[in-house]
Amino acid sequence: MFTTRPTLQGTFGMVSSTHWLASQSAMAVLEGGGNAYDAAVAGAFVLHVVEPHLNGPAGEVPILLAPAGGEVRVLCGQGVAPAGATVAHYRSLGLDLVPGTGPLAAAVPGAFDAWMMLLRDHGTKPLADVLSYAIGYAEHGHAPVENVGATVETVRELFEREWTSSADVYLPGGKAPRPGELFRNPALAATWRRLLAEVAGAGDRVAQIEAAREVWRTGFIAEALVRQAGRPTLDTSGERHTGTLTAADLAAWSAAYEAPATYDWNGWTLCKAGPWSQGPVMLQQLALLPPELPRYGSADYVHLLIEGCKLAMADREAWYGDAAQVPLGELLSAEYNAARRRLVGDGASYELRPGAPAGRAPRLCAYARGATAYAPGPYAPGAGEPTMAVLGRSTVAGAVEPTVAKRPTSPVPGEPDVAADGGTRGDTCHLDVVDRWGNMVAATPSGGWLQSNPVVPELGFPLGTRLQMTWLEEGLPNSLTPGRRPRTTLTPSIALRNGVPVLAFGTPGGDQQDQWQLHFFLAVALRGQVRGGLDLQGAIDAPNWHNDSFPGSFHPRGTRPGSVTVESRTDPAVVAELRRRGHDVTVGEAWSEGRLCVVARDPGTGILSAAANPRGMQGYAVGR
């Protein structure tokens, strides 16, 4: 089988990330004697510099780690809603959605503290060592990828007229970053240098890391973040708002370890973050699979996965969130999924159909309840293009009478759009590392994009916007609630084979993340052994797809019932059959779906492997 690149193999260490400079920086740490966790932290801070349109220090990150010989753990770097972030406050401002940009959308920043805890508890290197790579690129410059400048150009007017501190960093001399020219962020480099200077006298390695955490939470960084949150800022509502983040919010929050959510499937165990993320969606999709699967890549296979995803995503909308107890055991139970599996028919579903685990009635937000769903006419063999007809709501117990949606729809709900009015089209990063000792880590940093909030002038990076994923409606699992995490789309994975960690993987892509990851995982699991090992690159390169038949997680929370987007490399016969079954198929560019990274370790031989997404010509794996 042709692949764009080889699956890398070696025994010393492997890194895969969404940017080659982060991959190589992490590999340099491994070469210098560091372990996977040292390498991951170094690579993550480089991603803040080289992919500022995709993540930043004041964003968030879920981290899955599998220490050699230890248990898989989740390190949650998703901050909570500030104490003042109540539904009543936002409604009093005339809002029915949390804005997609600006300080009202800012949760307590979580990424920095999570990386510090990972370095403190599992790393070996001093803080100055792992920050040196990011400082170097911020201070001396790096050649930016094309999308950095393209993103800045999209929000140029906003930066020049409103977010002038962002223009100071990303439009120096009126010029956006461009490939082939060095781009610098001296304010960010100065922030990390000042941080290191302030903690240098704190004591040993661990004491310095703890001191850095305190500087972030209560020192000059915290003070600057709070000042920025209090500045009136134009956001996607078209109005200027101040945020709710306070010094007390920053001082009170800490990253924390958790047990992963898991599901066993055909000798594999998949580990994900809990239902404060969308991670269990992948577990539910696995639980919905029948004992015998159609041929890999066939129309029957793609249809089955699309329809299973719709059911899992409907449950995400009704049940996932940090503001309520999530019945995850029931959602993953054999009895529940056997009943849900019977909902998958021969034709495409255009309804949002959450289940009723343990007889509990689902409750959907008003936006989901009020969606205008369109469906094809009755499925019939040989039918052509679907005839569109307005549907009522799902007949699941607890559903409400149909109402007509008044919200806009988005072509792709996955990640937010960028527009001159402050709307964003951000994305996400991913980073995986495995070292020669068998330590493994998968992380999906995101948020704090350059287009999410104005750059904090004293720091060189902006606040995040993850609160946009909450609902301004009381009583839902994902209602905006002080002290609770917004339900995030970020969802790294670790897979065990017969109880031993084998794969660490993930992808950017918002709502698409657990679609693309399932397709990748099944390609690995179903295709078996190729070239003497797991065919990781082949599984990444395989034609991919996604659907948008559910409310998007990002402002303006659009949906496209019945939609499926496939790469043009998909077999035309498969596309035709999907359309015959009633799917609203869009054929996208040949290499446009999925941005996966993966590392692996064979516990029998100790051989390490890695692969990275060729789409976008940016992600790379390195190793030896």
Side-chain angles (χ1 to χ4, degrees):
M1 172 188 167
F2 168 79
T3 60
T4 57
R5 306 165 181 174
T7 294
L8 305 185
Q9 293 190 325
T11 57
F12 182 82
M14 291 283 163
V15 181
S16 180
S17 87
T18 49
H19 196 290
W20 62 83
L21 290 179
S23 295
Q24 191 53 54
S25 297
M27 191 66 201
V29 173
L30 295 181
E31 296 285 3
N35 64 20
Y37 310 111
D38 298 312
V41 176
F45 279 85
V46 171
L47 287 174
H48 297 157
V49 179
V50 300
E51 294 190 321
H53 57 311
L54 308 179
N55 79 136
E60 45 276 327
V61 60
I63 304 169
L64 266 64
L65 56 148
E71 297 291 322
V72 176
R73 299 290 288 169
V74 176
L75 178 51
C76 174
Q78 174 59 65
V80 299
T86 65
V87 170
H89 173 61
Y90 285 59
R91 288 288 190 179
S92 74
L93 298 174
L95 300 170
D96 60 359
L97 286 176
V98 177
T101 58
L104 275 178
V108 177
F112 180 88
D113 197 58
W115 290 120
M116 290 301 100
M117 286 184 66
L118 184 69
L119 184 65
R120 181 196 69 186
D121 298 338
H122 299 278
T124 64
K125 293 289 187 179
L127 179 58
D129 287 7
V130 298
L131 282 181
S132 64
Y133 304 90
I135 291 172
Y137 287 124
E139 192 167 65
H140 304 298
H142 65 97
V145 296
E146 185 175 353
N147 281 341
V148 177
T151 301
V152 173
E153 288 293 355
T154 309
V155 289
R156 173 186 284 273
E157 183 178 353
L158 174 71
F159 281 12
E160 291 179 335
R161 289 191 350 189
E162 295 280 345
W163 296 8
T164 55
S165 60
S166 297
D168 291 342
V169 173
Y170 291 105
L171 288 167
K175 290 176 55 178
R178 58 184 69 181
E181 298 180 4
L182 289 177
F183 174 72
R184 299 173 176 84
N185 187 342
L188 178 59
T191 295
W192 298 146
R193 288 200 178 280
R194 179 176 172 183
L195 173 73
L196 292 175
E198 291 197 7
V199 306
D204 63 10
R205 188 187 78 89
V206 170
Q208 289 187 16
I209 294 169
E210 279 297 291
R213 296 179 68 208
E214 284 305 305
V215 170
W216 179 274
R217 296 207 295 245
T218 64
F220 79 94
I221 294 177
E223 293 168 357
L225 292 173
V226 171
R227 278 195 299 271
Q228 184 62 45
R231 293 181 176 119
T233 301
L234 181 69
D235 59 37
T236 51
S237 72
E239 303 292 335
R240 293 176 180 83
H241 293 114
T242 57
T244 60
L245 184 69
T246 67
D249 295 317
L250 280 164
W253 187 83
S254 171
Y257 293 99
E258 302 175 356
T262 64
Y263 186 76
D264 295 331
W265 183 83
N266 284 12
W268 294 86
T269 300
L270 265 290
C271 301
K272 304 288 283 187
W276 54 268
S277 76
Q278 75 171 10
V281 161
M282 184 172 172
L283 308 184
Q284 285 197 250
Q285 289 178 94
L286 285 171
L288 282 162
L289 294 177
E292 297 293 327
L293 295 180
R295 178 176 56 84
Y296 173 85
S298 66
D300 286 342
Y301 177 85
V302 176
H303 171 76
L304 177 70
L305 296 191
I306 292 168
E307 294 302 304
C309 176
K310 291 175 185 177
L311 293 174
M313 284 296 198
D315 278 346
R316 183 193 76 167
E317 291 310 307
W319 298 108
Y320 289 20
D322 198 32
Q325 198 69 27
V326 179
L328 191 57
E330 288 86 355
L331 291 171
L332 294 174
S333 69
E335 181 182 21
Y336 178 80
N337 284 284
R340 296 283 279 165
R341 198 175 299 126
R342 291 193 288 271
L343 296 176
V344 177
D346 291 332
S349 168
Y350 279 57
E351 292 182 271
L352 192 67
R353 299 181 291 177
R360 295 171 56 185
R363 181 178 172 192
L364 293 169
C365 65
Y367 268 55
R369 297 196 310 267
T372 300
Y374 293 91
Y379 170 75
E385 294 296 316
T387 302
M388 310 306 277
V390 177
L391 279 181
R393 295 284 54 78
S394 168
T395 57
V396 173
V400 300
E401 290 301 310
T403 56
V404 177
K406 296 181 180 179
R407 61 188 168 91
T409 58
S410 167
V412 182
E415 291 277 0
D417 291 321
V418 172
D421 66 356
T424 61
R425 171 79 193 171
D427 207 325
T428 297
C429 308
H430 189 80
L431 174 71
D432 301 309
V433 188
V434 61
D435 62 29
R436 62 189 184 273
W437 301 286
N439 299 304
M440 191 175 286
V441 61
T444 309
S446 188
W449 305 294
L450 66 87
Q451 64 275 25
S452 64
N453 257 299
V455 165
V456 184
E458 305 94 322
L459 303 178
F461 58 84
L463 287 164
T465 56
R466 195 59 56 170
L467 292 185
Q468 68 181 286
M469 308 181 110
T470 62
W471 296 111
L472 296 182
E473 181 178 345
E474 299 284 8
L476 299 170
N478 192 34
S479 298
L480 178 66
T481 308
R484 296 291 185 175
R485 293 167 288 192
R487 188 197 69 215
T488 179
T489 52
L490 307 175
T491 172
S493 302
I494 285 181
L496 288 65
R497 184 70 171 165
N498 299 318
V500 180
V502 172
L503 296 171
F505 60 98
T507 179
D511 294 309
Q512 286 93 48
Q513 288 181 30
D514 281 309
Q515 301 185 57
W516 292 334
Q517 288 184 70
L518 177 73
H519 308 163
F520 161 80
F521 173 71
L522 291 178
V524 170
L526 297 176
R527 285 168 145 181
Q529 304 288 313
V530 180
R531 300 192 196 96
L534 294 171
D535 184 22
L536 304 180
Q537 193 64 51
I540 288 175
D541 288 356
N544 216 326
W545 70 92
H546 80 272
N547 87 91
D548 302 315
S549 297
F550 46 85
S553 294
F554 294 88
H555 190 280
R557 314 305 294 267
T559 186
R560 289 176 59 207
S563 69
V564 179
T565 302
V566 304
E567 292 181 325
S568 62
R569 295 180 294 127
T570 304
D571 183 349
V574 170
V575 174
E577 174 61 14
L578 292 174
R579 285 176 170 157
R580 187 181 70 83
R581 289 170 179 249
H583 296 282
D584 181 12
V585 181
T586 297
V587 178
E589 295 180 5
W591 296 89
S592 55
E593 292 285 318
R595 293 183 285 286
L596 283 140
C597 299
V598 60
V599 298
R601 180 178 183 270
D602 184 329
T605 64
I607 291 175
L608 311 178
S609 305
N613 170 52
R615 298 164 177 88
M617 300 180 289
Q618 188 169 316
Y620 275 88
V622 295
R624 69 174 179 87

